[in-house]
Amino acid sequence: MISDPIDLCLARESIDTIRLLAADAVEQARSGHPGTPMEAAPIAYLLYTRHLRHSPQHPEWPGRDRFILSCGHASALLYSMLHLTGYDLSLDELKAFRQLDSRTPGHPEFGHTPGVETTTGPLGQGFAVGIGMAMGARFLSEQVDRELFDYRVYALCSDGDLMEGVAAEAASLAGHLRLGNLVYLYLDNHITIEGDTALAFSEETATRFLAYGWQVLRAEGENLAEIDAAIACAKEDPRPSLIIARTHIGQGAPNKQDSPAAHGAPLGAEELRLTKVALGRDPEASFVIPDAVHLHMTAAVNRGSALFERWQQRLNDRQAEPQLANWREIVERGLPDGWQEHLPVFDAAEGPMATRKASGLVLNALAPQLPLLLGGSADLAPSNNTVLEGEAAFRPGASGRNIHFGVREHAMGAILNGLAHTPGLIPYGGTFLIFSDYMRPPIRLAAMMGLAPIYVFTHDSIGLGEDGPTHQPVEQLAALRAIPNLVVIRPADASETTLAWRLAIAERRRPTALVLSRQNLPIIDRHSYGAAEGAARGGYVLAVEEGDLQALLIASGSEVSLALEARTMLQQQGIGTRVVSLPSWELFDEQPQEYRQEVLPPTCQLRLAVEAAASFGWERYVGDKGAILAMSSFGASAPAAQLLEHFGFSAAAVAARVEQMLK
Amino acid sequence: MISDPIDLCLARESIDTIRLLAADAVEQARSGHPGTPMEAAPIAYLLYTRHLRHSPQHPEWPGRDRFILSCGHASALLYSMLHLTGYDLSLDELKAFRQLDSRTPGHPEFGHTPGVETTTGPLGQGFAVGIGMAMGARFLSEQVDRELFDYRVYALCSDGDLMEGVAAEAASLAGHLRLGNLVYLYLDNHITIEGDTALAFSEETATRFLAYGWQVLRAEGENLAEIDAAIACAKEDPRPSLIIARTHIGQGAPNKQDSPAAHGAPLGAEELRLTKVALGRDPEASFVIPDAVHLHMTAAVNRGSALFERWQQRLNDRQAEPQLANWREIVERGLPDGWQEHLPVFDAAEGPMATRKASGLVLNALAPQLPLLLGGSADLAPSNNTVLEGEAAFRPGASGRNIHFGVREHAMGAILNGLAHTPGLIPYGGTFLIFSDYMRPPIRLAAMMGLAPIYVFTHDSIGLGEDGPTHQPVEQLAALRAIPNLVVIRPADASETTLAWRLAIAERRRPTALVLSRQNLPIIDRHSYGAAEGAARGGYVLAVEEGDLQALLIASGSEVSLALEARTMLQQQGIGTRVVSLPSWELFDEQPQEYRQEVLPPTCQLRLAVEAAASFGWERYVGDKGAILAMSSFGASAPAAQLLEHFGFSAAAVAARVEQMLK
């Protein structure tokens, strides 16, 4: 299609229609961002009509090109494009922009609107998610089928996207990996919310991206031929491409163009009227789509369906290829049969083992059954135990399953989202738990979108020892547990770690954070104590009281063994003590009340929670009469055993606390 | 001093001494990072003996140059330098490296060891904090006294620092601001934890920094003359400078040099012995400081004292200058008298007002009294109301009090730490509460270091309306409250906002986060209800029950007025209802139990907490029989009033819930 000359007259009419649809939607909502849709309309027009291989009636077609609106505040532009090109998004939805229960929320939300590829709004995220999508495409193309997955990722970015560190991290990795399937367009409009970008942003962006190894092109934002040629050139280059388009915020609005006033508020009735006059439209009419524009734009439907059919045909023709058959089965039917049959079983006799080590063993047992499981670490693979043994690295020109993210936790989080958007892939990423703080924005977005990346967070408490308080998580557990729709699992030993991985893999609709110890932990003797399968319910009775139930010890992770030891001491004194392992609050809270009360009988009010992390939130389980043995400050630098003792995490201290409570 | 020729023989002996001290310390601790100290010893030697204007006996001298070890894992290098140049850090402390209660923790900790300028370890943070320090120097130099504050900021950075997004954001701003007082040295050792840096990092760093507007220089890491000349050149340039030093991790260790094995574990007894042999030292002796080296290095003490005395003299000579006198008074005696006398008093009759708006008014009333109060926003100043009216912008060559951070929340957080390290300055920074997620690592470090930047977090709940779930905080309040030593205040109205600012300014030993509404809130009639001063205790009785106390409503921020309305409804039904405003959990929890029980009488178990955020943690206040009206999911995009109703935040819903609980 790209070889056709541009019908300039029809293009202009279409572009003005896009501009005004977006401005009308914002005006109607009395809220939103008209300026960016107006400036970016020519680019969006060219992309959707001449470059994107998309099929409006098959928005989930795996072989489609992806378009990301990284500047998510320009959502009215995206909705206008989706409506005009025939996606299932009516004009009424555009008129209900930013209203409750509409499909046109303030920022694009994945899963909410057909054609929205990822949730954007927090700047930089879309930019970095796109890099993950491009890596996913590269992986499928090299590992499954080259032609079927030769799709590209396009993104529209603003100044803010380029100022955010997460985009810088991701751009550096994209250049390193030579992701030629990336075509990014940057709206260089010289305006930010506080005024001219020159207030805070005077770097030479083009040079910076050249330094990353990108191709950099320039175009005038209103020059269709220039933009079109730049996109064509970007598609052909083996490097990722950044097209710097000099645009004008609020383009077409006589008094607000090039002003921050066009950014985050409706144009206002009078300015919108003047804009319509300037564009030669009826100033009194709103949401107008000329017939010629309608016909021209909806041609995307048939064109897209033909592309889709051809792809589907190719898929069917080649389904004898084992890689492709595998992929198709996973995408259409879910995880392959028997994927969890070869997992290690840990025996207490094997002696103590760090849960991070157990995690590495389980991961490597899973890998052969799950060819679309891939991931890595933010340069801590040997510590996180995230390497898939015998598998190749994800390198430029060779997409193995071991990804080296570099020291880029934030980009890793966003890239995992991009990989999770890729049909069939199960991505994971590791770092120290403390550095989950660097990647909260993409974790939150994964939870919001219902994506299911797996986070391997090791070195989970002061138990990491000498590295000291900068590396010792205290509040990170609470901060992760507070995120809606994220499952956090802190296994007590190697056996619970196996189960945690099983849960994380099986859970394909929300993200899971595995919280693992650096230090060795006893492997709990499951002949004497409750089976690790109990962890699937979030919490379970690990050790039943002998005699009457007098005290309840509730713990997670490394503190569970401590609780078991304390229980032995207490039972020796005749104090009937139960130990509950509570690796996942989210999973436990989802259980029926009956089960929860069976595990934590309301009749037993003497409850002590033990966790080497902030006490924040534990009141939920210990109740008014209970107590919490936890961290009330940052940690310190010393060998782990000394630190745990110093901060009160010993069996003797736990037992003493219970005795004191009994008095 | 720089003009003296380098005594190469003595220099080599000193450098080898540094290398071996660090390697011995790591070996003794059986934990730590020997490789980077060994490679960076020549640079550290040159800095501490020939460039840094420092005075080991006056580590807090305001006019000193700052040295930041951004690669904090190389702490053994810093401790060796501090010991050798005569700081109050004994050899025994070096021998107690990474042990409990030593002054030599695993990563450098500010306030813990004299001569440690900031806490580092989480990569990228030191890099960005240094930018804030350089801005602080620039500010003091231009606003207070040019000569007294012409100090420079030096930093030593690793690959990891340069890969982190926070450093990219900060570097872009530093180039923009032309911070010529920055001299950064980058250890280009080609090695990361996972292996060769080429696994994930192949960008042209030099070009990238040129794009930011930095001077970039190169030197061989073992070539003293080259490094020395590069530093001299960096000091003279009006741009920030990056010196790329090609170094070799583990330099001097015969079998581990240039290997990741030299990074994060002791060399091992045998390799350390071989290293000593290779360096011509006694292989059996540890912690050896040759006399000549001792004499040579401790010359820093007298040299430094002379510099310090000269500076002090100049300070005394010029103390008639009003700016300088002001600065001195603040640094020596604290906040100026009467600083809180001109704050606005808000009257209920003024009608509803967003707390973000009140915050802007208070901030502008404070500014004239506090000339060292400075700050800004990550490109949301008009929304955060963080502009100091009539004050100049912080620009290249003109350091006004209004800082334009750009869309760089993470760097803003770190820069605020650097500003807070600068004697006398009171820095603040604003963004939307949701984007506190982008800046958690520096917030945590501020809390750990006991620095007191002020965060202005506006748009604090679903009450922001149409922007939708990507912009609506849910779990952010809990996540901030979980950070030890951070004070979070969510004022209920304009009057509590005034008080919150007073607390934040008065609090010079820990950071404060102000959590403010976008939407208008009633100004509570303080004639009818409790005085806003109660907020100073974190929580207080805002409305006393009429008749017997039957129900307790506990709320913060925008939900307090809702609770008052609900109380009116409940009282009309004869239900004695108390409303407690709880703007700050941390401050309330610090009150004596007596006060807390007076506010929340244990006898009243019918408690309902109301907060438009995650319920996480509220169990602490409502107890076993209480309930929490909060968010259990992400928000949605719609006008605020509809959203609040939709998610159950209406007076009627609150009252109904209480009635239901009474049944």
Side-chain angles (χ1 to χ4, degrees), chain B residues 228-251:
Chain B
D228 196 60
I231 297 172
C233 182
K235 284 155 74 174
E236 297 313 312
D237 200 271
R239 295 165 292 176
S241 292
L242 183 74
I243 300 171
I244 301 180
R246 174 63 176 105
T247 52
H248 297 269
I249 194 165
Q251 175 86 38

Side-chain angles (χ1 to χ4, degrees), chain B residues 266-530:
Chain B
L267 291 181
E270 179 56 15
E271 179 72 1
L272 181 52
R273 215 183 60 80
L274 292 174
T275 305
K276 288 174 181 172
V277 171
L279 297 178
R281 298 293 184 101
D282 175 356
E284 308 309 328
S286 295
F287 295 101
V288 174
I289 303 170
D291 288 344
V293 171
H294 173 73
L295 267 175
H296 172 53
M297 298 290 286
T298 49
V301 171
N302 288 339
R303 207 166 51 217
S305 290
L307 288 170
F308 171 78
E309 297 302 343
R310 211 177 313 149
W311 190 90
Q312 205 64 34
Q313 190 56 50
R314 199 150 49 195
L315 176 67
N316 292 334
D317 291 350
R318 302 193 182 181
Q319 68 180 346
E321 304 289 334
Q323 303 301 338
L324 188 57
N326 260 334
W327 174 83
R328 194 169 184 175
E329 180 159 320
I330 287 169
V331 169
E332 293 176 2
R333 287 201 236 148
L335 297 170
D337 292 340
W339 65 271
Q340 46 187 320
E341 278 170 14
H342 304 274
L343 300 184
V345 176
F346 296 99
D347 193 274
E350 289 173 62
M353 182 186 287
T355 52
R356 64 170 170 152
K357 185 177 175 197
S359 167
L361 296 172
V362 179
L363 177 62
N364 274 284
L366 285 164
Q369 330 302 324
L370 300 171
L372 301 180
L373 175 71
L374 79 170
S377 163
D379 196 41
L380 290 170
S383 297
N384 302 141
N385 293 312
T386 45
V387 174
L388 301 182
E389 303 297 341
E391 295 287 341
F394 196 112
R395 282 173 176 270
S399 308
R401 293 165 69 183
N402 283 312
I403 301 175
H404 296 280
F405 290 100
V407 188
R408 304 182 181 105
E409 299 84 6
H410 197 169
M412 176 171 75
I415 287 169
L416 291 175
N417 287 350
L419 292 168
H421 274 303
T422 307
L425 300 192
I426 305 180
Y428 66 88
T431 185
F432 292 160
L433 176 59
I434 192 72
F435 300 133
S436 62
D437 272 0
Y438 276 70
M439 50 189 288
R440 284 180 68 85
I443 294 175
R444 180 175 215 253
L445 284 172
M448 193 179 293
M449 291 191 276
L451 299 178
I454 300 165
Y455 310 111
V456 182
F457 292 139
T458 70
H459 295 60
D460 75 345
S461 75
I462 52 167
L464 65 83
E466 291 90 342
D467 273 344
T470 57
H471 284 55
Q472 289 161 353
V474 171
E475 72 278 22
Q476 282 63 30
L477 258 176
L480 290 171
R481 286 171 178 155
I483 298 177
N485 211 37
L486 169 69
V487 178
V488 181
I489 312 181
R490 186 170 186 244
D493 71 345
S495 309
E496 283 193 14
T497 305
T498 303
L499 196 86
W501 264 107
R502 276 173 52 195
L503 295 169
I505 296 283
E507 177 59 82
R508 296 291 85 218
R509 291 189 186 184
R510 51 184 178 175
T512 301
L514 305 177
V515 175
L516 305 166
S517 76
R518 169 183 190 252
Q519 75 272 31
N520 277 336
L521 302 179
I523 298 177
I524 295 167
D525 179 0
R526 299 291 170 169
H527 302 296
S528 314
Y529 296 117

Side-chain angles (χ1 to χ4, degrees), chain B residues 616-653:
Chain B
F616 201 89
W618 268 106
E619 291 88 351
R620 189 186 303 173
Y621 302 107
V622 300
D624 292 351
K625 305 239 167 105
I628 307 162
L629 178 52
M631 296 289 292
S632 57
S633 67
F634 295 110
S637 171
Q642 279 177 47
L643 274 184
L644 290 163
E645 186 78 34
H646 175 77
F647 285 102
F649 298 97
S650 69

Side-chain angles (χ1 to χ4, degrees), chain A residues 98 106-107 123 164-165 169 172 176 192 194 198-199 202-204 211 379 404 409 438 444 467 472 475 637, chain B residues 98 106-107 123 164-165 169 172 176 192 194 198-199 202-204 211 379 404 409 438 444 467 475 637:
Chain A
R98 295 184 152 231
H107 291 81
L123 291 171
E164 290 286 1
E169 292 176 10
S172 177
H176 171 75
T192 69
E194 294 185 4
L199 281 172
S202 56
E203 63 174 48
E204 293 175 19
D379 197 42
H404 296 280
E409 299 84 3
Y438 276 70
R444 179 175 216 255
D467 274 342
Q472 290 162 353
E475 72 278 22
S637 172
Chain B
R98 295 186 151 230
H107 292 82
L123 291 171
E164 289 286 2
E169 292 176 11
S172 176
H176 171 75
T192 69
E194 294 186 3
L199 281 173
S202 56
E203 63 174 49
E204 293 176 19
D379 196 41
H404 296 280
E409 299 84 6
Y438 276 70
R444 180 175 215 253
D467 273 344
E475 72 278 22
S637 171

Side-chain angles (χ1 to χ4, degrees), chain B residues 143-205:
Chain B
Q143 303 286 331
V144 179
D145 188 287
R146 192 162 295 274
E147 270 181 67
L148 287 172
F149 301 105
D150 65 346
Y151 59 86
R152 293 191 181 84
V153 181
Y154 295 85
L156 208 54
C157 314
S158 60
D159 299 303
D161 288 304
L162 294 208
M163 283 191 254
E164 289 286 2
V166 61
E169 292 176 11
S172 176
L173 188 60
H176 171 75
L177 292 174
R178 293 180 69 81
L179 299 174
N181 52 354
L182 277 178
V183 179
Y184 276 27
L185 295 115
Y186 160 42
L187 303 169
D188 182 20
N189 65 17
H190 297 206
I191 293 294
T192 69
I193 292 175
E194 294 186 3
D196 194 296
T197 44
L199 281 173
F201 191 55
S202 56
E203 63 174 49
E204 293 176 19
T205 304

